[in-house]
């Protein structure tokens, strides 16, 4: 099997495994929470995206990892992680919290989509060994990030029940 085939198989199976796990365990757990707590759980996971800086760390990744992929991925992840942390810090200031939740999801999802684009343009699947120790990030971590972004957008765009809106309004006034 070629490097590209192994990488693509790993990536596809990473999505399959996380979708199965998400559907069986994470989705029921998130659905059992109110909107704020569900988003808080998602941003907590994403607050570790600062780890993406590893893509520009010599000795961890190969010297021939395409810079067009590595630099954008590293700083896009950092920006996403920092926005997630800001959402966590502002949880008690609901309007600011929601602003950071929306910003983090927009930046985070755009980062992942553009990372896929840059990886394909740079021929990364055929040179996946250049990811070095960071190989696990796109295979294990990124599928979960993408799935949780999709669910976060679903939560953000889903109409809020009127009873919940009334309670949220009362909580904001208190």
């Amino acid at each position: 099997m070629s490097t590209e085939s192994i990488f693509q198989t790993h990536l596809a199976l990473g999505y399959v495994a996380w979708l199965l796990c998400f559907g069986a365990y994470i989705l029921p757990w998130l659905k059992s929470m109110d909107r704020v707590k569900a988003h808080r759980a998602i941003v907590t996971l994403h607050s570790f995206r600062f780890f993406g800086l590893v893509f520009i760390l010599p000795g961890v990744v190969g010297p021939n990892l395409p810079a067009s992929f590595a630099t954008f991925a590293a700083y896009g992840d950092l920006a996403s992680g920092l926005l997630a942390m800001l959402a966590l810090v502002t949880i008690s200031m609901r309007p600011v919290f929601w602003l950071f939740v929306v910003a983090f999801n927009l930046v985070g999802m755009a980062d992942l989509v553009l990372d896929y684009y840059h990886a394909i343009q740079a021929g990364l699947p055929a040179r996946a060994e250049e990811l070095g120790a960071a190989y696990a990030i796109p295979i294990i971590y990124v599928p979960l990030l993408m799935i949780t972004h999709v669910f976060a957008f679903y939560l953000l765009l889903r109409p809020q029940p009127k009873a919940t809106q009334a309670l949220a309004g009362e909580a904001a006034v208190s």
Side-chain angles (χ1 to χ4, degrees), residues 1-2 23 76 81 88 96 99 105 109 149:
M1 231 178 180
S2 70
L88 287 172
V96 179
L99 176 71
N105 276 293
M109 178 73 96
H149 272 306

Side-chain angles (χ1 to χ4, degrees), residues 161-172:
K162 293 208 183 291
T164 306
Q165 286 175 350
L167 289 174
E170 289 173 19

Side-chain angles (χ1 to χ4, degrees), residues 31-74:
K31 282 185 165 184
S32 73
M33 302 175 184
D34 66 49
R35 238 179 234 214
V36 171
K37 287 182 181 174
H39 280 287
R40 186 180 195 180
I42 292 168
V43 297
T44 299
L45 168 70
H46 286 261
S47 69
F48 288 91
R49 285 180 72 170
F50 62 86
F51 188 70
L53 286 172
V54 76
F55 287 124
I56 56 173
L57 189 59
V60 175
V61 296
N64 297 318
L65 183 65
S68 61
F69 164 79
T71 304
F72 190 89

Side-chain angles (χ1 to χ4, degrees), residues 151-168:
F151 185 70
F153 279 120
Y154 164 78
L155 285 177
L156 287 168
L157 298 173
R158 181 181 72 169
Q160 192 172 1
K162 293 208 183 291
T164 306
Q165 286 175 350
L167 289 174

Side-chain angles (χ1 to χ4, degrees), residues 87-141:
L88 287 172
V89 169
T90 61
I91 192 132
S92 62
M93 300 176 280
R94 292 298 156 81
V96 179
F97 169 75
W98 288 118
L99 176 71
F100 281 122
V101 166
V102 170
F104 135 76
N105 276 293
L106 290 172
V107 170
M109 178 73 96
D111 170 55
L112 295 177
V113 169
L114 289 170
D115 289 346
Y116 279 123
Y117 173 78
H118 288 132
I120 292 166
Q121 291 296 0
L124 185 62
R127 300 169 20 190
E129 70 278 358
E130 291 298 330
L131 287 165
Y135 183 88
I137 293 172
I139 303 305
I140 297 172
Y141 193 41

